[in-house]
Amino acid sequence: MAIDFSKVPSPCYVLDGDLLRENLRLINRVRQESGAEIILAFKAFAMWSAFPIVREFNFRSTASSLSEARLAFEELGGMAHTFSPAYTEGEFKTIMECSSHITFNSLTQYEHFHNQIALADHPISLGLRVNPEFSVVETDLYNPCTPGSRLGIMVSQLPSQLPADIEGLHVHCLCESSAEDLEGLMNQMGEKFAHWIKQVKWVNFGGGHLMTRKGYDVERLIRIIKQFREKWNVDVILEPGSAFGWDTGVLVSDVVDIVENCGIKTAILNVSFACHMPDCLEMPYKPRIRGAHHEPVEGLPTYRMGGNSCLSGDFVGDWSFDQPLKIGDKIIFEDMIHYTIVKTTMFNGITHPALAISDQKHGLRVLRKFGYEDYKSRMG
């Protein structure tokens, strides 16, 4: 739906609920036609005010911490598939209460905690995370298969016979990847882990399956999942996050100043890349701005976008505009719902953007505004 941005507080993340439903419909189709269990990864999308929309399609979730497991249980209304690099004694009991599946990152963690599963008041399926030594991810920060990775058990470290209570293998090494990339991972798993796949009931291929991105080969995804399930007689689980929130909303900001240094004009905004769009600096990547030319155009007004933190590197650029920018202009960053919201910080005490949802049924709803007390309550 068309959003009247004059009614949106600035800064603000705005989720388009109708676009979220479109993504959910496609993911649900893949789930139904492939037979895979597809669950929402909270690490990429945990906007619980939108969970009523997610529940329309009966999706479950994956969690990587006590807080995410509780959010699944308390707000999404179901038990989580939980994985953590390191469970702790003080949290494990509650994690069990909120989880249908628990995956261990090491045999040491498994040995330490698996006997406690008998104390749970419901069945919990146990798995081990393995390292396939395969990845197409070029940025090491997002690559769990770099040499020396702390994530997953190497094939050389697995016992020939898995413990009797291990029912699954979990592997995660993709990031905004294609169906072809998943097929490569499946082939690698079949070659390196065939002996152990035959001993389990399910294989979880983690996240990174960006099936809602334009151009993604959905038919191939469905086909290779069915082939893997039939060949190995196991259930297949996928836990994408970005695919759920992909291109479903924006970050609205204002130009508050324009400065120039060595011929470079910077539009300083009331948001921060470091605080509110950290992946732009970490990946790094250059986001799309509504109405702007993504690459500089000779002869047009061109600006770097600068954040409002004191970090000197809090900027990304450059974009060209058909008209010169002026103080008070709206700068709308596209595709800012997945990962962005869950990774924000309050560094410098900078005001966190508000949260809003807009759809045909309810119109624009501002869910939450942040202020001084939110910052102060985190500091002590």
Side-chain angles (χ1 to χ4, degrees):
M1 66 174 294
I3 299 172
D4 183 355
F5 288 106
S6 68
K7 297 181 179 179
V8 176
S10 179
C12 184
Y13 296 102
V14 185
L15 169 70
D16 188 319
D18 297 319
L19 293 179
L20 176 61
R21 285 187 179 91
E22 288 184 19
N23 283 355
L24 292 170
R25 289 188 190 98
L26 187 148
I27 297 169
N28 188 48
R29 180 197 150 207
V30 173
R31 175 173 63 174
Q32 292 177 335
E33 295 185 17
S34 71
E37 181 173 9
I38 304 181
I39 53 182
L40 167 61
F42 281 170
K43 67 179 181 179
F45 185 88
M47 193 176 183
W48 58 268
S49 296
F51 286 179
I53 300 175
V54 178
R55 284 198 296 269
E56 293 174 13
F57 297 83
N58 198 32
F59 281 106
R60 298 174 66 195
S61 63
T62 177
S64 298
S65 64
L66 171 61
S67 292
E68 287 186 348
R70 284 191 58 183
L71 194 68
F73 189 71
E74 297 174 11
E75 298 297 338
L76 193 56
M79 293 187 178
H81 289 233
T82 304
F83 163 79
S84 174
Y87 299 107
T88 61
E89 286 287 354
E91 297 182 346
F92 195 72
K93 181 177 182 296
T94 305
I95 285 175
M96 288 194 302
E97 294 171 354
C98 300
S99 303
S100 61
H101 294 63
I102 292 179
T103 296
F104 296 99
N105 185 57
S106 69
L107 291 167
T108 306
Q109 282 264 295
Y110 163 78
E111 291 292 346
H112 187 78
F113 287 106
H114 82 106
N115 287 330
Q116 296 187 33
I117 302 298
L119 303 176
D121 60 4
H122 61 276
I124 299 176
S125 184
L126 301 187
L128 296 176
R129 177 164 177 169
V130 295
N131 186 328
E133 301 177 69
F134 170 93
S135 185
V136 295
V137 179
E138 297 179 355
T139 303
D140 283 348
L141 183 66
Y142 297 92
N143 183 0
C145 293
T146 54
S149 172
R150 75 193 196 287
L151 297 173
I153 304 165
M154 305 290 285
V155 66
S156 60
Q157 298 170 326
L158 284 171
S160 178
Q161 184 64 41
L162 294 174
D165 54 354
I166 291 296
E167 296 185 334
L169 297 177
H170 179 201
V171 55
H172 175 56
C173 63
L174 302 179
C175 178
E176 298 187 1
S177 300
S178 66
E180 292 82 356
D181 295 329
L182 174 59
E183 189 168 17
L185 172 58
M186 287 179 163
N187 292 337
Q188 176 81 344
M189 287 293 291
E191 293 174 9
K192 292 183 74 73
F193 291 91
H195 177 75
W196 294 275
I197 295 175
K198 295 174 183 177
Q199 300 178 40
V200 298
K201 298 178 180 179
W202 52 265
V203 177
N204 185 331
F205 285 98
H209 317 284
L210 196 45
M211 62 191 77
T212 53
R213 178 171 55 190
K214 185 178 180 180
Y216 188 99
D217 193 341
V218 173
E219 303 306 323
R220 185 171 189 163
L221 174 65
I222 294 169
R223 183 175 67 252
I224 62 176
I225 291 173
K226 291 173 68 174
Q227 289 172 348
F228 192 91
R229 290 178 58 235
E230 293 166 3
K231 178 178 181 178
W232 297 102
N233 191 30
V234 293
D235 293 328
V236 168
I237 302 167
L238 305 181
E239 45 182 43
S242 293
F244 282 80
W246 187 261
D247 247 345
T248 58
V250 300
L251 173 56
V252 179
S253 66
D254 287 341
V255 176
V256 295
D257 197 8
I258 297 174
V259 299
E260 185 171 354
N261 188 325
C262 296
I264 298 173
K265 291 182 179 179
T266 299
I268 299 181
L269 311 174
N270 61 344
V271 292
S272 162
F273 291 97
C275 300
H276 310 135
M277 297 171 276
D279 278 353
C280 294
L281 302 182
E282 293 175 359
M283 181 62 85
Y285 83 98
K286 183 180 177 184
R288 289 175 287 126
I289 293 177
R290 186 167 299 186
H293 300 273
H294 194 64
E295 298 300 332
V297 177
E298 187 175 356
L300 289 181
T302 299
Y303 302 86
R304 173 180 290 177
M305 296 294 126
N308 59 344
S309 80
C310 68
L311 176 69
S312 59
D314 189 3
F315 67 88
V316 175
D318 297 298
W319 292 261
S320 290
F321 296 80
D322 291 332
Q323 300 296 328
L325 292 180
K326 59 184 183 298
I327 293 172
D329 281 348
K330 295 284 184 196
I331 299 295
I332 300 173
F333 292 96
E334 304 280 9
D335 195 20
M336 282 292 159
I337 298 299
H338 62 92
Y339 275 104
T340 298
I341 298 175
V342 295
K343 294 180 74 172
T344 58
T345 73
M346 290 186 174
F347 170 64
N348 264 183
I350 292 171
T351 300
H352 192 285
L355 302 177
I357 295 180
S358 182
D359 60 19
Q360 294 278 6
K361 184 176 181 179
H362 300 101
L364 178 69
R365 290 168 288 155
V366 178
L367 306 170
R368 175 84 186 274
K369 292 183 177 181
F370 298 86
Y372 168 66
E373 291 301 329
D374 298 293
Y375 169 72
K376 181 182 178 183
S377 65
R378 297 185 63 204
M379 297 299 110

